[in-house]
């Protein structure tokens, strides 16, 4: 006999898959989009440390790469905190979809 | 056969918990349950159990800690009464909704206001809809026996629900009775090893407990929760059969007493059933065909089984040791619910008795029976709901 | 376990234990606090979480942002819930039913769930001496239910339940100094931290985890929705709070207070 929909729900509503929110993309929330200007980046990683959405990708050597636009909500903390190189920001905010 | 002792209901329950040896107990004192946990505390401090005792600062925290501990993945117990249970209310729902098999002796006591420490069922009936299994006990022996069975039912892999084992405050919790204890080794094999389901302590497989579930799934979760409850009666009977094999003591979903050829019946729970049985014997001696039904499993409520047991009676008096102000007593509502499925419906009356520990005396039972005989003859009920033993 | 070095490059190579896809508002301070706390150590961690923005946005239906065992049960009881989990851990380890993996226990609660409704449960857990770290992310109001005042809301603030009106100008009462109250419990470690000062905060978490017994940390956590600020200023504001001495960074270790960051 096939089970009813509600019979297949996890017992006690426990979520068994850790970090499953990674399947829920929040990038669509963005109205502003951060742009990374690599030549101004000093690899301080403040953007990585302060990102509330774990949306700054870092490679195996611990170097910053592109944003993860699947999740970035475009808050702009990274751009504000970015020290840049000689006063030139490595992150600027642009309007999404422009 | 186990040792025969003279103990109170609290003492017997504390002994049961000692023999079960839960991994964690979190508790807070309240009369009349205090004495139970006090005794258990001395088992902890004398090294007679392995239990971690968490002496919290409120019953809300007691149930919260029990919930955390049960989700962590071990056997958990607590005990309370009255105001303590009321303070736990929010967490009772969470324990059941999260499907955590916590076992809790509930020493039934009246609720404030006015403040009163004596036995009635207001507390347990208030928790009727929390999703807990509720088992009511007539005496110390039953409270002791039900405690073991509650663990087996609650922890059954098809169930995983919390369970309350209820006994009447003072009347049972503080009266010394003859109780037959079960040997430790038998308890151990009866209750078995705790099997963790999705334990939080399984660090390598992290789980999240307590998500937000909104309109698209909440209704289904509740449907599933109801379904689990419907499985409880069969499991309770299986467990009772095992228990009978071990002890010779028989338990059902309810206890029928001289019901076979009865024309009228009294339905009453817990200690008052004992008193009522004596009076019924007297009436039987006079040739009155009367019997008694004592519900044991109140949640889930075995409607069909009870309807079947009462199908041949003409009139029923349901005695409630709790009230629903402006409504009928809670047991009455269940019995009339059961009656709905009968082909010929008996007349049913509701008597509210014994609130705040008011003595339930033989003359009260006699009055109820005398009236019931008339109701059976005429088929007419004048007052559906009435207080008995009330000073007028 | 040796204490992890707090170098950004090294930290960035590690795996997040609180991940993306959570639904906190854009620019919320709370996820920054959580990620820094969990990143400070490699010890296994089990956390409880009081009802509030963090809880309600991090675990919805089958989606959880947590990669550690995590439990939400209600609003006022994160401390009691974790104390039950910790007690079960101790019990099972003591009985030899599970292995001791040096698990650390954390409770996260907002200011409402900590200063107000969860205060008794917190106080009780601290007094009982559970081996746990309580982290309050203080955003100064009940944000999840729409910016109502809490006892952490600053004097004069405009909230939905103490609105700046024609007669009453906003919140008339001062903040409760919860950090000092927790210190008065005589617990071995109490600290205040800010996500802008990430190294200071993570050092405090590391220190807390090396101390057995109950620990408490109060962490400022800007909320742009409630503070009516911009989505990009959570770090800037938490920095400002430290520099202006609104949110001094200090620790109280075994009763000895030390200011850990001296504003210029
Ligand atoms: C017993 C109880 N009372 C009230 C609520 C409603 N409620 C849910 S979250 C919340 C406010 C949370 O505030 P806080 O702890 O500061 O966390 P924040 O949302 O600000 O992060 C309230 C009042 C509840 N869930 N439970
Ligand atoms: S309302 Fe405030 S605290 Fe809540 S998620 Fe949004 S920014 Fe964060
Ligand atoms: Mg808040």
């Amino acid at each position: 006999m096939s089970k009813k929909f509600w019979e297949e729900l996890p017992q006690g509503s426990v979520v068994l898959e850790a970090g499953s929110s990674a399947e829920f993309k929040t990038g669509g929330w963005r109205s502003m989009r951060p742009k990374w200007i690599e030549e101004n980046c000093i690899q301080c990683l403040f953007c990585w440390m302060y990102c509330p959405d774990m949306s700054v990708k870092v490679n195996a050597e611990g170097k910053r790469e592109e944003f993860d636009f699947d999740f970035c909500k475009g808050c702009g903390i990274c751009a504000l905190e970015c020290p840049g190189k000689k006063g030139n920001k490595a992150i600027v905010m642009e309007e999404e979809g422009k | 056969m186990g040792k025969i002792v003279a103990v109170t209901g609290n003492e017997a329950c504390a002994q049961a918990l000692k023999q079960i040896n839960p991994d964690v107990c979190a508790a807070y004192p309240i009369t009349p349950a205090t004495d139970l946990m006090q005794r258990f505390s001395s088992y902890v401090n004398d090294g007679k159990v392995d239990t971690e005792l968490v002496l919290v600062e409120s019953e809300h925290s007691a149930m919260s800690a029990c919930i955390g501990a049960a989700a962590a993945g071990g056997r958990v117990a607590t005990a309370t009464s009255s105001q303590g249970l009321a303070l736990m209310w929010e967490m009772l729902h969470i324990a059941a909704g999260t499907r955590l098999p916590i076992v809790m002796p509930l020493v039934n006591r009246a609720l404030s206001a006015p403040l009163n420490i004596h036995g009635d069922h207001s507390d347990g009936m208030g928790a009727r809809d929390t999703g807990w299994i509720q088992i009511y006990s007539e005496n110390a022996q039953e409270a002791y026996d039900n405690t073991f069975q509650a663990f087996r039912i609650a922890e059954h892999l098809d169930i995983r629900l919390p369970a309350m084992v209820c006994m009447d405050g003072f009347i049972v919790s503080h009266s010394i009775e003859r109780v037959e204890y079960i040997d430790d080794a038998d308890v151990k094999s009866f209750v078995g090893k705790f099997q963790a389901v999705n334990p939080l302590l399984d660090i390598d497989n992290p789980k999240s407990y307590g998500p937000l579930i909104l309109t698209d799934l909440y209704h289904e979760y509740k449907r599933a929760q109801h379904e689990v409850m419907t499985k409880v009666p069969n499991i309770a009977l299986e467990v009772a059969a095992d228990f009978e094999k071990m002890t010779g003591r028989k338990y059902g979903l309810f206890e029928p007493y001289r019901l076979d050829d009865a024309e009228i019946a009294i339905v009453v729970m817990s200690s008052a059933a004992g008193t009522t049985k004596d009076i019924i014997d007297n009436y039987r001696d006079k040739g009155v065909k009367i019997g008694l039904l004592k519900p044991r499993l109140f949640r889930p409520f075995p409607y069909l089984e009870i309807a079947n047991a009462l199908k041949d009676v003409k009139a029923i008096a349901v005695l409630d040791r709790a009230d629903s102000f402006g409504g009928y007593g809670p047991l009455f509502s269940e019995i009339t619910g059961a009656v709905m499925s009968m082909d010929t419906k008996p007349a049913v009356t509701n008597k509210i008795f014994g609130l705040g520990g008011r003595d339930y005396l033989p003359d009260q039972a006699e009055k109820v029976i005398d009236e019931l005989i008339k109701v059976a003859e005429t088929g007419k009920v004048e007052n559906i709901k009435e207080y008995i033993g009330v000073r007028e | 376990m040796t204490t992890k070095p707090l170098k950004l490059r090294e930290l960035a190579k590690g795996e997040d234990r609180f991940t993306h896809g959570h639904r906190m508002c854009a620019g919320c301070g709370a996820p920054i606090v959580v990620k820094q706390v969990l990143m400070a150590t490699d010890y296994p961690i089990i956390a409880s979480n009081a009802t509030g923005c963090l809880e309600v946005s991090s675990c919805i239906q089958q989606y959880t942002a947590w990669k550690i065992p995590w439990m939400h049960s209600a609003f006022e009881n994160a401390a009691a819930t974790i104390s039950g989990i910790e007690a079960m851990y101790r019990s099972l380890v003591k009985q030899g039913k599970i292995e001791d993996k040096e698990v650390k226990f954390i409770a996260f609660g907002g200011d409402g769930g900590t200063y107000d409704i969860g205060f008794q449960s917190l106080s009780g857990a601290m007094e009982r001496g559970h081996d746990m770290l309580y982290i309050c992310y203080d955003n100064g109001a009940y944000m999840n239910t729409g910016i109502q005042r809490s006892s952490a809301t600053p004097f004069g603030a405009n909230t939905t339940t103490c609105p700046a009106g024609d007669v009453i100008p906003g919140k008339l009462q001062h903040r409760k100094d919860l950090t000092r109250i927790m210190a008065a419990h005589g617990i071995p470690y109490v600290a205040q931290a800010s996500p802008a000062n990430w190294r200071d905060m993570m050092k405090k978490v590391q220190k807390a985890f090396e101390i057995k017994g109950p620990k408490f940390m109060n962490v400022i956590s800007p909320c742009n929705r409630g503070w009516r600020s911009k989505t990009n200023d959570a770090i800037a504001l938490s920095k400002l709070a430290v520099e202006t001495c609104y949110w001094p960074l200090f620790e109280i270790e075994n009763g000895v207070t030390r200011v850990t960051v001296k504003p210029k």
Side-chain angles (χ1 to χ4, degrees), chain C residues 53 109-113 137-144 148 150 152 221 223:
Chain C
C53 277
D111 48 295
Y137 67 99
D138 180 353
N139 52 24
Y142 300 162
M143 298 311 182
N144 185 49
Q148 294 86 25
S150 77
S221 177
C223 159

Side-chain angles (χ1 to χ4, degrees), chain A residues 20-21 48 50-52 73 75, chain C residues 20 22 24 35 62 64 196 231:
Chain A
S20 52
S21 64
W48 171 82
Y50 293 137
C51 176
K73 295 171 187 158
C75 67
Chain C
H20 44 215
H22 66 74
M24 313 288 289
K35 82 183 223 186
Q62 72 270 42
T64 180
T231 62

Side-chain angles (χ1 to χ4, degrees), chain C residues 58-71:
Chain C
S58 64
C59 189
I60 303 180
Q61 245 166 256
Q62 72 270 42
Y63 303 108
T64 180
W66 300 89
K67 291 187 169 181
I68 57 170
W70 174 90
M71 181 171 212

Side-chain angles (χ1 to χ4, degrees), chain B residues 21-24 49-52 54-58 60-62 64-76 87 90-91 94 98 100 200-214 216-217, chain C residues 44-47 55-56 59-62 64-77 80-85 87-92 94-95 97-98 101 103 105 120-125 127-128 130:
Chain B
N21 192 16
D23 299 304
V24 169
V49 287
D50 300 309
T51 313
E52 275 296 323
V54 187
L55 299 168
V56 284
E57 79 304 325
S58 74
H60 193 285
S61 286
S64 301
C66 285
I67 285 170
R75 190 166 274 155
V76 178
L87 190 55
E90 178 191 32
M91 300 317 296
I94 293 172
T98 314
L100 300 171
L200 270 179
L201 294 181
D202 178 8
I203 279 289
D204 302 324
N205 298 290
K207 285 131 203 130
S208 290
Y209 269 78
L212 174 71
I213 303 281
L214 294 177
D216 42 353
L217 283 180
Chain C
I45 294 173
I46 301 180
E55 163 273 325
V56 90
C59 189
I60 303 180
Q61 245 166 256
Q62 72 270 42
T64 180
W66 300 89
K67 291 187 169 181
I68 57 170
W70 174 90
M71 181 171 212
H72 157 250
S73 70
F75 185 21
E76 62 281 59
N77 63 357
T81 304
I82 201 74
S83 70
I85 299 172
M88 183 57 79
Y89 179 72
R90 263 188 293 125
S91 177
L92 298 186
K94 177 185 75 184
Q95 297 178 64
K97 291 181 180 172
I98 59 169
K101 292 188 174 172
V103 177
F105 299 89
Q120 173 180 321
S121 148
L122 167 63
S123 178
E127 181 273 332
R128 294 193 298 274
H130 294 278

Side-chain angles (χ1 to χ4, degrees), chain A residues 37-78:
Chain A
I37 307 163
E38 201 174 347
E39 64 265 29
N40 292 341
C41 177
I42 58 167
Q43 290 290 341
C44 68
L45 296 180
F46 287 171
C47 55
W48 171 82
M49 176 53 95
Y50 293 137
C51 176
D53 287 292
M54 284 53 81
S55 296
V56 177
K57 292 186 192 162
V58 171
N59 66 23
E61 282 83 57
K63 288 214 162 163
R64 189 201 195 289
E65 296 190 339
E66 206 19 288
F67 285 104
D68 188 341
F69 287 108
D70 279 350
F71 298 98
C72 168
K73 295 171 187 158
C75 67
I77 291 178
C78 53

